[in-house]
Amino acid sequence: MESRVVVCRDCCCGTPKLPGVDHEAQTTRLSETVPTRITDCLDVCDQANVVVVQPSTEARAAGARPVWLGLVNDPDATEDVVSWVRAGGPGLAPMPPILDLYVFTPPRRQRAM
């Protein structure tokens, strides 16, 4: 399995609660260019729009983990995600430095630390 993205589209992500964001265009761009799965609420509504970049099977076997990106609300950020996934994603390609601004740890993972 190659690297892919999971896009939250339910409670807050993908809704009019974020005015001025073209959620449909973002989902379409991701779906047309990289393997994409749409999911219901990921329970991190304060980070809407949430995109999780999943590592490939090869990268996961080598220790790569999913990267959670929040507040992915502009087309440039979406393009950075697309470029990274096309290059290999977590564990196989360096993350574009600008995406550091979007990385967060979901609450359930913070408690486990």
Side-chain angles (χ1 to χ4, degrees), residues 21-99:
V21 177
D22 190 341
H23 305 284
E24 187 173 328
Q26 181 185 50
T27 304
T28 298
R29 175 68 178 144
L30 290 168
S31 300
E32 290 177 349
T33 56
V34 297
T36 302
R37 183 171 67 92
I38 309 299
T39 189
D40 289 337
C41 189
L42 292 170
D43 296 325
V44 284
C45 296
D46 61 325
Q47 296 290 326
N49 281 317
V50 176
V51 175
V52 182
V53 183
Q54 299 282 343
S56 68
T57 303
E58 172 191 356
R60 187 176 280 279
R65 295 292 169 247
V67 176
W68 288 64
L69 304 170
L71 306 173
V72 183
N73 295 325
D74 69 53
D76 291 338
T78 301
E79 289 306 313
D80 289 330
V81 171
V82 167
S83 296
W84 185 32
V85 172
R86 283 180 159 174
L92 296 180
M95 183 172 64
I98 191 72
L99 289 181

Side-chain angles (χ1 to χ4, degrees), residues 4-20:
R4 65 182 173 136
V5 297
V6 177
V7 181
C8 184
R9 286 291 180 264
D10 189 35
C11 176
C12 294
C13 299
T15 71
K17 289 182 181 180
L18 297 172

